[in-house]
C-alpha cells in the first residue's frame, strides 16, 4: 500500500514520530521509568511547577465562577466576563490597541491570516522560518505570498521594491524570537521599510518572547518600545505564561474584522473560564518575575558561550539554543545519549526544521543551574 510505503520511508530516513507517555514531576519527566531533566518544554519562567502560585490563584477565585467549560463559542453564550477582563487589562498595557482572545496561537494565526487575505489585494511576505500555523493560514486561504530567506533583509527589500505598487497591502509575517533557531527579528529594519513603503503592515508573533523580556514581561517588541509600530502583535499563553490561549493585539478596526470573520473564533467553543482567569492572574503578576527573567538570561548566556568555546555549531541568541547535528540519525543518537545520562531533549527533524539541519533544541528555563548544563557539555 502507498500509505504503508510512506510510513516505511519515514522510518528508513530516521524521521518517524511516535508519542511517548510522560509523567511530570517538577523539573523532571519520567519516560519508561527513567527520570530525566526536562529540557524540551517551553515553560521559560518555570511557573507551571509553582505550587505556591497555584495556591495563590485558587484563593483569589470565587468558587461560583469555577467553570470548567464555556459550553459555547464567544459569539453565542460563551463570552464570559473574564474574557472581557483579560482583554481590557492587556489594553491598559497597549493603550493604542485593542485585544482579542483566542483559544490557541495556532487557531489565531490560521484564522487571522486567512481573514487578512480577504481585505483587498494583499501580498504576504513571510520569513522562511515562521511557525507552521502562519504557513497554514496562508495555504488554507490560498493567499498570494512569497517567502524570503530567514532574516534576510536584502531579499525582503527586493520583494518590496518589485511588488509594493501592485498591492493595496503588503503584510510581513515574522516571529519576534524564532522558535527553532532562537534568534531575534530584525524589527528596526522592518519598521524602516514600513516608513518607506506606506502600504506595509507588520504581523509579529511573540510566542517565545512574551513573559521573558521587558520589565513588564510583555515581550521583546515592548522591551524596545516599538509596540505602536507593529500592526498585529500576537501573544500565546502556553509557554512562559504556563497557561493556554492566545491574543491578538491590533487596532479596533481589525479587532472588529476578526470578530466577524476569523473562523477559529466564531466556530470554536471558547476556552473554559478557569483557564482564562489563570492567564489574567499570570499577566497581572508578570512584573514580579523580573528576577526569573534575569536568571533565564544568565543561564542562557552561560550555556551558549560554553558551547561556542567547544566549537560546536549552534544557533540561538536567548533561551532557545540549538545544537546542529545535520543528519536525522545523528540527532537521534545524541538524544538517546542524553536520555541515558538523565536529560530529556528530543531530536528535532524535518519538516519542523529544514532538511540537513536536524538538531537538539535545548529549551532553557530560569531555575536551571550551571551544574546541570555542565554535564551536557561533558557528553559532547
Amino acid at each position: 500500500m502507498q500509505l504503508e510505503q510512506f510510513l516505511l520511508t519515514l522510518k528508513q530516513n530516521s524521521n518517524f514520530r511516535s508519542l511517548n507517555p510522560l509523567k511530570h514531576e517538577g523539573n523532571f519527566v519520567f519516560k519508561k521509568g527513567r527520570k530525566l531533566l526536562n529540557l524540551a518544554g517551553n515553560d521559560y519562567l518555570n511557573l507551571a511547577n509553582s505550587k505556591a502560585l497555584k495556591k495563590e490563584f485558587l484563593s483569589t477565585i470565587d468558587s461560583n465562577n469555577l467553570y470548567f467549560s464555556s459550553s459555547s463559542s464567544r459569539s453565542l453564550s460563551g463570552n464570559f466576563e473574564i474574557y472581557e477582563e483579560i482583554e481590557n487589562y492587556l489594553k491598559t498595557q497597549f493603550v493604542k490597541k485593542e485585544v482579542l482572545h483566542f483559544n490557541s496561537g495556532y487557531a489565531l494565526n490560521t484564522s487571522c491570516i486567512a481573514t487578512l487575505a480577504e481585505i483587498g489585494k494583499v501580498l504576504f511576505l513571510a520569513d522562511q522560518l515562521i511557525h507552521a500555523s502562519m504557513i497554514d493560514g496562508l495555504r488554507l486561504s490560498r493567499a498570494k505570498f512569497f517567502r524570503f530567506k530567514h532574516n534576510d533583509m536584502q531579499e525582503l527589500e527586493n520583494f518590496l521594491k518589485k511588488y509594493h505598487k501592485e498591492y493595496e497591502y503588503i503584510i510581513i509575517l515574522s516571529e519576534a524570537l524564532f522558535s527553532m533557531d532562537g534568534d531575534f527579528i530584525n524589527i528596526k529594519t522592518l519598521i524602516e521599510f514600513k516608513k518607506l513603503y506606506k502600504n506595509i503592515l507588520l504581523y509579529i508573533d511573540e510566542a517565545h518572547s512574551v513573559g521573558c523580556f521587558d520589565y513588564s514581561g510583555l515581550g521583546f517588541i515592548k522591551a524596545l518600545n516599538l509596540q505602536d509600530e507593529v500592526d498585529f502583535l500576537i501573544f500565546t499563553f502556553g509557554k512562559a505564561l504556563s497557561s493556554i490561549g492566545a491574543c491578538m493585539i491590533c487596532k479596533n478596526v481589525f479587532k472588529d474584522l476578526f470578530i466577524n470573520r476569523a473562523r477559529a473564533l466564531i466556530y470554536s467553543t471558547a476556552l473554559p473560564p478557569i483557564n482564562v482567569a489563570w492567564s489574567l492572574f499570570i499577566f497581572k503578576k508578570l512584573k514580579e518575575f523580573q528576577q526569573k527573567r534575569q536568571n533565564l538570561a544568565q543561564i542562557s548566556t552561560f550555556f551558549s558561550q560554553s558551547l561556542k568555546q567547544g566549537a560546536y555549531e549552534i544557533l540561538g541568541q536567548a533561551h532557545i539554543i540549538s545544537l546542529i547535528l545535520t543528519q536525522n540519525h545523528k540527532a537521534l543518537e545524541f538524544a538517546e545519549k542524553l536520555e541515558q545520562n538523565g536529560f530529556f531533549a528530543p531530536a528535532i527533524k524535518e519538516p519542523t526544521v529544514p532538511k540537513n539541519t536536524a538538531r537538539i533544541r535545548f529549551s532553557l528555563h530560569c531555575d536551571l543551574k550551571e551544574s546541570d548544563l555542565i554535564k551536557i557539555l561533558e557528553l559532547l
Side-chain angles (χ1 to χ4, degrees):
M1 291 178 59
Q2 187 175 357
L3 175 58
E4 292 174 341
Q5 182 58 47
F6 172 75
L7 295 173
L8 178 61
T9 300
L10 289 177
K11 293 178 180 178
Q12 290 173 340
N13 293 333
S14 301
N15 209 22
F16 184 79
R17 288 169 168 77
S18 59
L19 297 176
N20 293 296
L22 299 174
K23 176 185 175 183
H24 288 252
E25 183 181 288
N27 294 335
F28 296 87
V29 296
F30 288 81
K31 180 181 176 182
K32 298 179 180 178
R34 183 185 288 164
K35 185 176 183 180
L36 308 169
L37 181 64
N38 186 8
L39 296 174
N42 297 317
D43 185 17
Y44 303 124
L45 301 182
N46 207 24
L47 300 180
N49 288 321
S50 175
K51 294 180 180 179
L53 206 58
K54 295 171 192 173
K55 184 177 181 180
E56 181 184 352
F57 166 67
L58 291 173
S59 72
T60 68
I61 295 296
D62 183 347
S63 60
N64 293 321
N65 292 322
L66 285 176
Y67 288 92
F68 291 94
S69 175
S70 64
S71 304
S72 176
S73 68
R74 291 189 66 187
S75 57
L76 296 176
S77 68
N79 195 38
F80 285 70
E81 291 178 329
I82 190 65
Y83 288 94
E84 303 293 326
E85 290 178 31
I86 193 170
E87 290 171 352
N88 288 335
Y89 175 77
L90 285 171
K91 183 181 175 180
T92 66
Q93 310 300 306
F94 296 89
V95 293
K96 295 184 180 181
K97 302 292 179 68
E98 293 288 337
V99 180
L100 184 61
H101 186 283
F102 283 78
N103 283 8
S104 71
Y106 195 99
L108 186 160
N109 280 331
T110 53
S111 61
C112 287
I113 288 173
T115 299
L116 290 172
E118 301 175 351
I119 64 175
K121 192 174 183 182
V122 180
L123 174 67
F124 292 88
L125 297 177
D127 189 292
Q128 280 189 341
L129 296 188
I130 57 172
H131 192 264
S133 58
M134 288 192 262
I135 295 299
D136 287 354
L138 294 170
R139 290 175 174 170
L140 290 169
S141 64
R142 299 181 180 178
K144 179 70 174 180
F145 70 95
F146 295 106
R147 299 175 75 172
F148 58 93
K149 295 184 184 69
H150 177 50
N151 263 340
D152 188 332
M153 296 297 100
Q154 184 59 62
E155 185 173 29
L156 173 58
E157 186 173 19
N158 291 342
F159 280 125
L160 293 173
K161 288 178 179 178
K162 184 174 181 179
Y163 293 109
H164 78 277
K165 292 182 180 179
E166 297 182 23
Y167 291 88
E168 187 177 357
Y169 298 102
I170 294 180
I171 302 177
I172 299 174
L173 306 177
S174 186
E175 298 182 39
L177 177 65
F178 284 85
S179 59
M180 286 296 147
D181 279 19
D183 54 350
F184 292 106
I185 183 176
N186 194 335
I187 185 63
K188 293 183 178 179
T189 300
L190 295 185
I191 290 172
E192 289 175 5
F193 289 157
K194 184 179 175 182
K195 292 176 180 177
L196 184 61
Y197 303 98
K198 302 303 181 182
N199 56 343
I200 286 179
L201 299 173
L202 299 181
Y203 187 111
I204 310 299
D205 192 325
E206 290 244 32
H208 293 270
S209 46
V210 64
C212 301
F213 300 97
D214 191 48
Y215 75 95
S216 66
L218 291 174
F220 180 69
I221 303 299
K222 201 168 194 304
L224 298 175
N225 196 32
L226 296 173
Q227 63 274 11
D228 293 340
E229 304 292 338
V230 175
D231 302 279
F232 308 100
L233 194 62
I234 292 83
F235 285 175
T236 62
F237 306 162
K239 298 174 175 62
L241 304 182
S242 72
S243 188
I244 185 173
C247 70
M248 166 65 78
I249 303 169
C250 59
K251 290 183 178 178
N252 185 60
V253 64
F254 288 112
K255 178 178 179 177
D256 286 343
L257 175 68
F258 296 137
I259 289 173
N260 283 276
R261 298 295 293 174
R263 294 171 68 84
L265 178 76
I266 298 169
Y267 299 114
S268 292
T269 298
L271 287 182
I274 186 70
N275 295 108
V276 184
W278 169 258
S279 296
L280 177 57
F281 172 77
I282 293 296
F283 268 116
K284 288 182 175 180
K285 293 188 73 66
L286 276 180
K287 289 182 181 179
E288 300 177 21
F289 302 144
Q290 185 61 12
Q291 186 61 55
K292 288 180 175 291
R293 284 186 281 276
Q294 292 175 359
N295 292 348
L296 179 63
Q298 289 171 3
I299 196 68
S300 301
T301 298
F302 165 78
F303 193 47
S304 176
Q305 290 181 348
S306 297
L307 286 169
K308 288 176 181 177
Q309 289 173 2
Y312 302 106
E313 183 181 357
I314 68 163
L315 297 171
Q317 297 174 326
H319 43 273
I320 299 168
I321 299 173
S322 288
L323 175 66
I324 306 301
L325 296 166
T326 66
Q327 302 302 312
N328 289 348
H329 72 276
K330 292 181 180 179
L332 287 168
E333 287 169 2
F334 191 63
E336 177 60 27
K337 185 176 182 180
L338 287 170
E339 281 194 21
Q340 291 174 359
N341 287 273
F343 299 97
F344 184 69
I348 307 294
K349 303 165 292 180
E350 184 189 6
T352 304
V353 294
K355 190 174 182 178
N356 297 322
T357 67
R359 66 195 65 184
I360 301 296
R361 175 184 180 270
F362 296 102
S363 186
L364 307 183
H365 64 74
C366 64
D367 291 329
L368 289 170
K369 296 177 173 57
E370 290 185 6
S371 57
D372 296 322
L373 302 178
I374 286 173
K375 294 177 184 177
I376 296 175
L377 297 171
E378 292 172 348
L379 294 173
L380 290 169

